[in-house]
Amino acid sequence: MSDPAHFSYVFNRGYAFPSLVSLSSLLRQSRKGCDVLLLTDCAVPRFKAALDCLRERHPESRINLVEDPTLPSADHPLAHKVRLQNFWQLSLYKILPRKSLAIDGDTLVMEDPAEAYETPLGQHAIAAAPDYHFQDLYYRKRYYRRFYPFEQNKWRDIPAILCKSKRDIPLRHYCNNGIVLIDMPKLRATGWADRLCDLDTCLSTKLEKGWEHNDQDWVNFMFAGRIAPMSLRWNFQIMLIVPSRTRKRYTPRHMRKDYKDGFARPGILHFAGDRKPWRDMETDTDLNTLHREAFLHWRKEAERLSEETGMDIRHLCNDPLAA
C-alpha cells in the first residue's frame, strides 16, 4: 500500500491565515486523505485553534505543525538587504522527510492535488510549472529578432531587462517556485541538497547577480535544464496570466495549449503578485472576469472556514498580529 500524498507549507505570522485557507481547500479536495507539514517560526493561539478545527473535520489526514523560532530573521547579517522570510522555503526543504508538494500560502486548491503530487519526475528530483510571465520575454525576443528584425522597438529593450533581473539564468524553461514537487531523499542522494539549502550562498549569489525573485531565481539557476515539467494548471498564476497572450504572434503552440488547459480546469490557483484576494481593494473593479472569479472562489473558501471555526478568517488574514 503506497503512502498518502505529502504536502507542505512554510509561512511567517503574516501569511499564517492565508496559508490556512489554502490548507482548508487542499483538505477539502483531497479524496483519499494526505499528510501535511506546516513550518513556521511561531503559530499564534487563534491559528492553532483553527488548525485543530481542520484536524477534527478531516481525521483521514495527518497535519504536523513545526514551530522553529530559529528560522533566519532580523539577526541575520543580510536581513537589512533582503526579506529573510521569503527564503524560508530552503529551511522547509531541509526537514522534508520524503517527496512533498511545497505550496505557497497565497493559493487555492481547486481539484484533488494528488494528481500534481504524482507528476512524473523521471531522472530529476524537482518538478515545477513554467513561469510564462518571464518566458514570454524570451519568446518575444526570439520571434522578432528572427522574423521581424526591422521591428527593433518590439525587442531591443528585452536583453537589458533580462540581464538586469535574471543574470545567468536561462529563461527558456524558467519555472515558478510557488508550487514545487521535490523529492528530497532523491536530491540528497545526488549531492545537490546541501547546496540548495545553503542560505548564505543563496543570498550572496542573489545580491551579486541582482536577482529579484528570492529562492525562485536560485532554484532556476541551480537546476536549469534539470526540472521536470509540471502542468501549468497546477500553478495557475492568476495575476500574471493574461488571456491576450494566447493571441500574440510570438506565443508558441505549447504555451497556447497550457493556457487553454489552465483556463478550462485550474488545479491550483496561485495569487502571485501584489493583488491578494483577502485584501479589500478599491481597484477590485479593474480586475478582469478571470481574476474576479478566482478572487470569489478564494473568498468563498474563507467564508466557509470562518463558519467552521467561528472566526473571521478574512479579517485575520489582514491582521498579522492577531493573537
Side-chain angles (χ1 to χ4, degrees), residues 66-272:
V66 176
E67 295 181 79
D68 183 0
T70 68
L71 286 169
S73 191
D75 59 344
H76 191 278
L78 296 178
H80 64 292
K81 294 187 177 182
V82 294
R83 290 173 56 89
L84 270 299
Q85 293 92 339
N86 293 338
F87 294 86
W88 283 0
Q89 196 164 28
L90 302 182
S91 298
L92 171 66
Y93 295 155
K94 284 184 180 180
I95 66 172
L96 286 180
R98 47 180 284 209
K99 184 177 78 169
S100 182
L101 187 70
I103 305 175
D104 273 4
D106 57 344
T107 54
L108 188 74
V109 180
M110 301 290 290
E111 293 193 1
D112 189 350
E115 182 181 331
Y117 180 79
E118 295 300 334
T119 297
L121 288 171
Q123 62 182 341
H124 305 301
I126 296 177
D131 194 321
Y132 286 148
H133 184 63
F134 294 102
Q135 287 193 26
D136 178 78
L137 296 175
Y138 168 85
Y139 286 110
R140 190 191 313 177
K141 180 184 74 170
R142 189 182 72 164
Y143 180 84
Y144 283 110
R145 287 186 69 174
R146 183 177 178 184
F147 296 106
Y148 296 92
F150 50 87
E151 295 191 68
Q152 292 189 22
N153 62 311
K154 298 286 183 64
W155 62 268
R156 62 184 175 186
D157 294 333
I158 295 177
I161 293 171
L162 298 182
C163 181
K164 180 180 179 181
S165 64
K166 301 294 174 190
R167 180 179 154 201
D168 296 331
I169 302 175
L171 279 195
R172 184 178 180 181
H173 302 292
Y174 189 83
C175 294
N176 184 276
N177 211 38
I179 290 92
V180 177
L181 179 65
I182 183 164
D183 188 334
M184 284 308 296
K186 188 175 183 179
L187 193 64
R188 292 186 184 103
T190 66
W192 285 84
D194 289 342
R195 181 166 173 78
L196 171 65
C197 299
D198 185 345
L199 177 64
D200 290 338
T201 301
C202 170
L203 293 179
S204 61
T205 306
K206 167 188 166 59
L207 296 174
E208 173 196 344
K209 296 184 181 295
W211 294 335
E212 298 176 347
H213 284 83
N214 308 319
D215 59 313
Q216 175 169 301
D217 287 338
W218 175 241
V219 171
N220 276 279
F221 174 70
M222 280 193 61
F223 295 97
R226 296 192 298 274
I227 300 177
M230 179 184 292
S231 172
L232 183 70
R233 60 186 293 267
W234 291 113
N235 187 354
F236 204 63
Q237 302 135 54
I238 196 67
M239 301 309 297
L240 304 180
I241 291 175
V242 289
S244 62
R245 280 192 188 151
T246 63
R247 298 187 291 272
K248 299 295 185 182
R249 287 178 290 178
Y250 55 79
T251 304
R253 189 173 301 172
H254 76 272
M255 191 184 292
R256 295 173 191 266
K257 182 181 184 304
D258 283 353
Y259 274 119
K260 183 178 179 180
D261 293 345
F263 291 140
R265 197 163 62 96
I268 299 179
L269 297 174
H270 181 194
F271 299 94

Side-chain angles (χ1 to χ4, degrees), residues 4-9 18-38 51 54 57-58 60-64 100-105 107-117 178-180 234 267-269 297-298 301-302 304-305 308:
H6 190 283
F7 306 100
S8 51
Y9 292 84
S19 299
L20 194 73
V21 175
S22 178
L23 173 61
S24 175
S25 67
L26 182 145
L27 296 172
R28 204 180 303 278
Q29 296 294 342
S30 295
R31 298 191 187 97
K32 297 182 180 179
C34 58
D35 291 343
V36 183
L37 172 63
L38 309 177
L51 189 60
L54 284 179
R57 288 185 172 272
H58 301 278
E60 72 284 358
S61 296
R62 295 179 295 183
I63 305 172
N64 180 26
S100 182
L101 187 70
I103 305 175
D104 273 4
T107 54
L108 188 74
V109 180
M110 301 290 290
E111 293 193 1
D112 189 350
E115 182 181 331
Y117 180 79
I179 290 92
V180 177
W234 291 113
I268 299 179
L269 297 174
H297 283 305
W298 187 95
E301 184 66 37
R304 190 180 293 119
L305 186 58
E308 293 175 356

